[in-house]
Amino acid sequence: MNIVNSYRLMIRNVRINTDPGTLVFLVLMPTIYLVFMGYMFGTLINQIPVGTTSINYKEFLSPGIAAFETATAGIVAGGLLWSDRRYGMFEQILSSPYTRAEYLFGILLTTLVFGFIGSGIMMLVSEAFLDYTAVSLMGVGLIVVSISLGSLFFGCMFLAIAAKVKSNQAYNSLTILIIFLVDFASTVFYPITPTTPEALKVLFYINPLTYIADVVRSGYTSTVTGTSLVELLVTFIETIVMVAIAVLLYRKVRVGVT
Amino acid sequence: MTSFPIEVKDLKYTYDGRKFAVDGISFSVKEGEVFGMLGRNGAGKTTTIRILSTLLKRTSGSVEVLGMDPSTAGNRIRKRIGVVLQDESFDFTTVEKAFDVYGFIWGVSKPERDKKREALLKTFELTDVRKKRMWDLSGGQKRRVQVAREFMHDMDLLFLDEPTSGLDPIARRNILNMIKDLTKDGLSVLFTTHNLEEADYLCQRVAIMNNGKILASDTIDALKTGYNGLKTVEVKISGDQVGAESMFSKVTSGRVEPPIEDGLPYRIVTENTQETMQEIIKLAVTESVQIEWLNVRAVSLEDVFISTIAGGA
């Protein structure tokens, strides 16, 4: 596999995806969450315990929304494979000097780029609209690793869906369903409390976005504990499993068949 | 470069392990030649192109593309070929950006991309729609972009899978002329089409395919040679087709070829057109079959094609 080829495809993916629709999806929607929920719930919720300390709702929400961007980036990745298959570019690119592996790696690189751009923008928006937070060097490291793993996990998840489903309606419906489930069954918007129903707790704990949001939050608010590292490990294992599933399903994608 | 950019021997391909989409075909394409593959839908033309352009792995047989085996040297082959697929392929962007991005993935430098894009937009009459998004274009305009875009990069061998489908006659002729010009510089082309006039205009040699097999392959002149001195009488029937079948079964002055699709005329290949026309009119009267029109013309590639398909079916 030639990494330069994957890089070249990543540039192509970014160039064709920098349209107003994608930017609105990537930036405006999370910004609306951040501003409206931040201000409105911020007046209702005082302090939320995180690690050994407690933070206000705006501080809680901002890193959550930055983590949420990894799922949004994943949708971009799945959308790329889906539209390339649907509109013939998958076959066209594979008849150019690119291998299947280079194409796949190009999409994963694109997911990372969109994950970092989205999360970065959300952090900047947080700084502008909400209270200023100083992030430690270790915090930055944790955020970077967590956003990378999250982008890869969701990129692979939506790639697997794009590789498997046959119709546009099915792809869109599944994507919307999963993004809502993943977002709301996580600690992006609210913490898990002792009164959270057990069934919901299970959902929260198998959802990697819970761990990504928690780790980004601990890095962002300098509240890193041993739990943060365990959560990072869980995210890593879940990402490895999802990469394997995506690669398996991607290998079965035939040219000329949508 | 090898003098035969494509050499295929006893190529077979099956999608499901039972039915062969390509069933033991052999042919070669010479350097600087346009080789046409003619056949009905499902004949195996597109599958053959997919195998040769490294998109599919053959089931059996031997294949050499630019002197290399596609199943082991895929990437080296793909660097030297161009492929215009039968189905549409486009990015969700503007026309000019589509050209630029395509050139970029082929590793063409920015100044070269700009130069080629401008020339191609002009040649393919796309300048007026250069700022439009691909999904806002008509089917013909999309097809023109798809064909033109392939010339953003250099190549030794070009696969064109029905490149002119959906194009108006002027755009079609422009593309054919451009391909003709490029073959003078040594470009070899494997071209599939349903349009036999196009094949007649562009191809030096053709292969007629049906049900995965090549039924005939030669120069167009050689294929027509079997019809020397013969002419075609076309008879379009209006009304009862059952009566028409009965009527044409009684024709003795020439070889009758029934229409391969509804709405097309019957064809009688004959040495004596006068005798055939008289016979047809007499039979039409006795069998009460109404003739809509009747026409006499020289044997065309289409006659060879229909005759070959009918004979091989």
Side-chain angles (χ1 to χ4, degrees):
Chain A
M1 194 179 79
N2 184 344
I3 193 77
V4 176
N5 278 354
S6 296
Y7 170 77
R8 199 173 277 283
L9 286 176
M10 180 269 284
I11 299 286
R12 170 253 176 191
N13 295 340
V14 171
R15 285 189 67 188
I16 60 166
N17 264 291
T18 45
D19 60 290
T22 306
L23 293 177
V24 163
F25 182 62
L26 202 65
V27 178
L28 197 61
M29 200 173 79
T31 304
I32 288 169
Y33 274 136
L34 190 61
V35 174
F36 280 82
M37 292 180 86
Y39 279 116
M40 299 315 289
F41 284 120
T43 58
L44 298 173
I45 303 164
N46 289 324
Q47 294 289 302
I48 299 168
V50 171
T52 51
T53 181
S54 64
I55 54 176
N56 67 40
Y57 184 69
K58 290 173 188 173
E59 288 170 328
F60 180 87
L61 182 65
S62 305
I65 295 290
F68 163 83
E69 284 293 289
T70 60
T72 313
I75 291 183
V76 174
L80 270 166
L81 177 63
W82 172 257
S83 64
D84 278 350
R85 288 181 68 202
R86 172 70 182 76
Y87 297 101
M89 283 309 290
F90 180 62
E91 196 168 344
Q92 189 70 58
I93 289 170
L94 293 185
S95 66
S96 312
Y98 294 93
T99 63
R100 274 177 171 257
E102 286 162 357
Y103 177 87
L104 178 65
F105 200 61
I107 287 192
L108 294 181
L109 283 177
T110 313
T111 318
L112 284 173
V113 167
F114 276 103
F116 277 107
I117 290 175
S119 301
I121 291 173
M122 282 311 108
M123 284 178 184
L124 287 176
V125 172
S126 302
E127 299 299 319
F129 282 86
L130 304 171
D131 301 331
Y132 173 77
T133 312
V135 183
S136 68
L137 199 62
M138 188 187 180
V140 171
L142 274 178
I143 290 169
V144 167
V145 175
S146 195
I147 296 290
S148 303
L149 289 174
S151 302
L152 281 177
F153 178 90
F154 289 110
C156 286
M157 178 190 247
F158 289 107
L159 258 171
I161 294 168
K164 200 69 192 154
V165 296
K166 300 261 187 257
S167 77
N168 199 22
Q169 288 89 338
Y171 178 74
N172 288 333
S173 307
L174 263 175
T175 302
I176 291 166
L177 180 73
I178 287 170
I179 202 78
F180 268 90
L181 192 66
V182 159
D183 282 347
F184 290 108
S186 75
T187 52
V188 165
F189 301 111
Y190 27 68
I192 303 168
T193 66
T195 55
T196 306
E198 287 304 315
L200 276 183
K201 272 187 187 169
V202 172
L203 260 182
F204 274 66
Y205 284 126
I206 58 170
N207 182 358
L209 192 55
T210 296
Y211 305 114
I212 298 159
D214 285 354
V215 175
V216 171
R217 189 171 289 123
S218 67
Y220 200 70
T221 54
S222 301
T223 53
V224 180
T225 61
T227 312
S228 310
L229 299 177
V230 172
E231 286 184 314
L232 202 61
L233 183 68
V234 173
T235 314
F236 177 75
I237 293 165
E238 287 191 333
T239 303
I240 295 289
V241 171
M242 191 48 76
V243 169
I245 292 169
V247 169
L248 266 175
L249 293 176
Y250 171 74
R251 282 166 66 110
K252 290 181 182 168
V253 175
R254 285 166 58 186
V255 291
V257 182
T258 51
Chain B
M1 192 169 73
T2 174
S3 56
F4 287 100
I6 297 177
E7 283 193 283
V8 173
K9 281 178 196 149
D10 200 25
L11 173 65
K12 288 187 180 185
Y13 184 82
T14 173
Y15 284 98
D16 57 8
R18 292 191 297 271
K19 191 177 183 298
F20 283 95
V22 176
D23 194 1
I25 64 169
S26 300
F27 67 96
S28 57
V29 177
K30 294 175 192 163
E31 188 179 335
E33 176 184 49
V34 182
F35 186 90
M37 296 196 97
L38 316 178
R40 303 177 71 184
N41 293 329
K45 309 182 298 289
T46 297
T47 304
T48 304
I49 283 193
R50 285 198 175 129
I51 294 167
L52 299 180
S53 59
T54 81
L55 287 168
L56 288 178
K57 280 199 162 57
R58 65 185 180 269
T59 305
S60 67
S62 110
V63 176
E64 277 199 4
V65 176
L66 300 165
M68 294 172 275
D69 184 338
S71 59
T72 55
N75 222 25
R76 279 190 290 150
I77 290 172
R78 287 195 294 272
K79 280 179 185 164
R80 293 173 56 192
I81 62 172
V83 183
V84 174
L85 301 163
Q86 183 183 19
D87 298 322
E88 66 178 18
S89 69
F90 63 87
D91 280 323
F92 276 78
T93 184
T94 61
V95 170
E96 57 182 13
K97 198 169 170 185
F99 275 88
D100 192 62
V101 169
Y102 198 70
F104 175 80
I105 66 171
W106 272 93
V108 182
S109 69
K110 177 71 177 151
E112 190 67 13
R113 293 204 301 271
D114 290 345
K115 199 173 127 192
K116 283 189 170 175
R117 183 192 62 216
E118 292 311 309
L120 289 167
L121 286 171
K122 200 174 161 194
T123 305
F124 285 82
E125 296 176 332
L126 290 162
T127 311
D128 291 346
V129 295
R130 61 186 299 158
K131 299 280 182 201
K132 276 195 174 181
R133 293 184 173 271
M134 286 298 296
W135 60 88
D136 291 330
L137 302 184
S138 68
Q141 286 170 329
K142 275 187 204 154
R143 193 66 179 156
R144 266 189 278 161
V145 173
Q146 195 180 341
V147 176
R149 187 185 62 182
E150 204 54 42
F151 296 102
M152 286 294 289
H153 66 96
D154 297 328
M155 67 200 92
D156 295 321
L157 175 62
L158 176 60
F159 294 96
L160 294 168
D161 199 355
E162 296 180 24
T164 56
S165 59
L167 295 186
D168 63 74
I170 293 170
R172 199 157 61 211
R173 189 48 69 102
N174 282 346
I175 288 176
L176 298 183
N177 286 338
M178 186 174 176
I179 295 164
K180 261 192 170 179
D181 285 346
L182 288 167
T183 56
K184 287 175 194 160
D185 299 330
L187 178 71
S188 310
V189 181
L190 182 63
F191 176 83
T192 76
T193 183
H194 289 301
N195 188 323
L196 302 175
E197 271 179 47
E198 258 175 35
D200 215 348
Y201 180 75
L202 187 66
C203 302
Q204 280 85 50
R205 290 189 304 137
V206 295
I208 298 174
M209 283 188 81
N210 199 31
N211 294 329
K213 293 178 189 295
I214 291 181
L215 303 179
S217 178
D218 214 325
T219 62
I220 290 170
D221 286 342
L223 287 172
K224 286 181 184 172
T225 303
Y227 292 77
N228 268 351
L230 300 179
K231 284 202 160 47
T232 298
V233 176
E234 292 179 320
V235 185
K236 177 77 172 69
I237 298 299
S238 56
D240 183 23
Q241 290 292 315
V242 179
E245 276 179 38
S246 159
M247 178 186 102
F248 282 105
S249 69
K250 292 172 184 159
V251 172
T252 55
S253 61
R255 193 177 72 239
V256 177
E257 281 156 10
I260 53 170
E261 280 173 36
D262 289 343
L264 294 177
Y266 279 77
R267 296 152 192 263
I268 300 107
V269 179
T270 177
E271 279 179 13
N272 189 336
T273 52
Q274 204 66 22
E275 185 192 346
T276 299
M277 284 195 290
Q278 283 172 0
E279 187 185 16
I280 295 285
I281 290 164
K282 267 186 197 170
L283 283 169
V285 172
T286 54
E287 301 281 324
S288 301
V289 171
Q290 201 180 345
I291 293 173
E292 197 174 311
W293 53 260
L294 196 141
N295 179 44
V296 178
R297 58 168 178 76
V299 168
S300 66
L301 181 60
E302 195 171 341
D303 296 313
V304 176
F305 176 79
I306 290 169
S307 175
T308 308
I309 296 285

